[in-house]
C-alpha cells in the first residue's frame, strides 16, 4: 500500500454513467453545483449502482435529475478520468451512453437544484463554456455523439 497509513484509504476508481440525450441536433446539458467541477456544464448522469446495467443506470439518472423518460439507450464510448489536482484525488471510469426522449413533448425539470442550476438544449457545435473536464477531454479526443 505504499505510503498509506492504516487510517488513510487509497483512492478507489468509481464508475459514472453519463448520457448524451439527443433532441434533433442538440444535447442536454446542465450547470453543475458540486465540489467536483462546480459551475461547469455537464451531461446528466451519476454513479453506477451495484447490479445495475449501464442502460438501467442511464435511464434512472436521467429520470432522477431531469424528470425525463428516455429510450434507444446505447453505449458510445468509455473514458478514464483521473482528477489529481483536487484536494482529494478522484478517478472515474466514464461510461458515455446516447439516448433520445421517450416522448418528444417532455420538458426537462431541475429535479435536483442542489446539484444543478438547470437544464437546457445546446447545439453540439456551440456548447456552453466551461465544460466539465471529462466531457471537454472526451470532445478534444474526438468524441461526438452524432458521429459514433
Amino acid at each position: 500500500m505504499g505510503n498509506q497509513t492504516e487510517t488513510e484509504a487509497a483512492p478507489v476508481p468509481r464508475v459514472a454513467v453519463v448520457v448524451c440525450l439527443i433532441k434533433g441536433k442538440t444535447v442536454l446539458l446542465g450547470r453543475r453545483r458540486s465540489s467536483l467541477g462546480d459551475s461547469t456544464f455537464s451531461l446528466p448522469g451519476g454513479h453506477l449502482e451495484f447490479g445495475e446495467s449501464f442502460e438501467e443506470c442511464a435511464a434512472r439518472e436521467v429520470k432522477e435529475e431531469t424528470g425525463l423518460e428516455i429510450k434507444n439507450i446505447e453505449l458510445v464510448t468509455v473514458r478514464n478520468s483521473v482528477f489529481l489536482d483536487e484536494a482529494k484525488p478522484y478517478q472515474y471510469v466514464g461510461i458515455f451512453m446516447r439516448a433520445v426522449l421517450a416522448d418528444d413533448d417532455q420538458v426537462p425539470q431541475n429535479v435536483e437544484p442542489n446539484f444543478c442550476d438547470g437544464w437546457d438544449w445546446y447545439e453540439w457545435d456551440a456548447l456552453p463554456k466551461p465544460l466539465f473536464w471529462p466531457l471537454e477531454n472526451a470532445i478534444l479526443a474526438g468524441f461526438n455523439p452524432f458521429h459514433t
Side-chain angles (χ1 to χ4, degrees):
M1 287 293 210
N3 296 331
Q4 299 286 328
T5 66
E6 285 186 35
T7 59
E8 184 182 351
V12 176
R14 306 278 315 259
V15 177
V17 175
V18 294
V19 183
C20 295
L21 185 53
I22 295 172
K23 183 177 181 182
K25 296 179 187 256
T26 63
V27 294
L28 187 69
L29 294 175
R31 189 183 289 263
R32 296 173 60 87
R33 297 183 72 187
S34 169
S35 60
L36 191 61
D38 189 52
S39 297
T40 60
F41 288 89
S42 183
L43 300 165
H47 295 118
L48 181 69
E49 294 183 356
F50 183 79
E52 204 172 34
S53 72
F54 298 152
E55 294 81 4
E56 290 167 338
C57 181
R60 177 182 54 77
E61 286 290 346
V62 169
K63 180 71 172 173
E64 287 177 1
E65 295 179 8
T66 70
L68 299 171
E69 299 282 345
I70 60 175
K71 66 179 183 179
N72 301 341
I73 306 166
E74 58 186 344
L75 175 69
V76 287
T77 193
V78 176
R79 302 282 304 168
N80 185 30
S81 298
V82 180
F83 300 83
L84 295 176
D85 295 335
E86 300 295 322
K88 176 184 171 190
Y90 293 91
Q91 180 177 6
Y92 276 95
V93 176
I95 310 298
F96 283 69
M97 308 296 284
R98 178 175 49 208
V100 296
L101 293 170
D103 175 357
D104 287 339
D105 293 331
Q106 296 177 94
V107 176
Q109 305 298 314
N110 193 15
V111 180
E112 298 178 323
N114 292 337
F115 299 109
C116 180
D117 284 334
W119 300 99
D120 208 347
W121 299 99
Y122 297 92
E123 295 280 339
W124 185 254
D125 293 332
L127 295 175
K129 303 286 184 196
L131 293 173
F132 187 40
W133 179 76
L135 175 58
E136 182 175 11
N137 281 352
I139 292 169
L140 291 173
F143 172 69
N144 182 327
F146 296 94
H147 298 125
T148 58

